[in-house]
Amino acid sequence: MSEADFVVTVNGTEIDATWAEESPETRRALADALPVEGEATRWGDELYFRVPVDVDAEDPRVAVDPGTIAYWPQGSALCLFWGPTPASTDATPRAASPVNVVARLADVAPLSALPSGAGATVRITDD
């Protein structure tokens, strides 16, 4: 695996992440806004929180892989997916509406360990 591009910290636990090839404009806008931090809301096996980024849909999709970090244009929020959400029809994570995929988490185990329904503090830094 390649070296991490940035670090996502969820409730004090650091998770390495790498930028995805998709959504280059969204990726650039998010990278320029780092560090970002917020109180995340849990929606099934997804955490999301508002970020100071305003980007339109770019190669949007609803179904994503576990470990996906995506920007939700409709809510100006960053989403971390690790399993099914209330919109899922199977084990595949599904967003409430289309998202722009920007990165991948190296490990989803720390997210899976969050208590059901619990929110989390999320911080993303570029080092």
Side-chain angles (χ1 to χ4, degrees), residues 5-6 18-31 55-71 78 81 99-105:
D5 292 320
F6 60 97
T18 53
W19 295 114
E21 296 298 317
E22 300 96 327
S23 310
E25 289 179 36
T26 307
R27 207 172 57 234
R28 210 170 6 260
L30 181 60
V55 181
D56 291 330
E58 181 182 19
D59 190 23
R61 63 195 70 188
V62 175
V64 297
D65 294 327
T68 295
I69 299 174
Y71 174 75
L78 205 59
F81 295 93
V99 294
N100 302 345
V101 172
V102 293
R104 307 264 188 270
L105 293 164

Side-chain angles (χ1 to χ4, degrees), residues 50-127:
R50 292 185 59 81
V51 292
V53 173
D54 185 15
V55 181
D56 291 330
E58 181 182 19
D59 190 23
R61 63 195 70 188
V62 175
V64 297
D65 294 327
T68 295
I69 299 174
Y71 174 75
W72 182 38
Q74 186 174 335
S76 295
L78 205 59
C79 310
L80 285 63
F81 295 93
W82 70 94
T85 68
S88 296
T89 56
D90 55 22
T92 303
R94 290 184 68 84
S97 58
V99 294
N100 302 345
V101 172
V102 293
R104 307 264 188 270
L105 293 164
D107 182 13
V108 298
L111 299 176
S112 299
L114 290 172
S116 182
T121 300
V122 178
R123 179 172 170 78
I124 300 179
T125 53
D126 55 5
D127 54 75

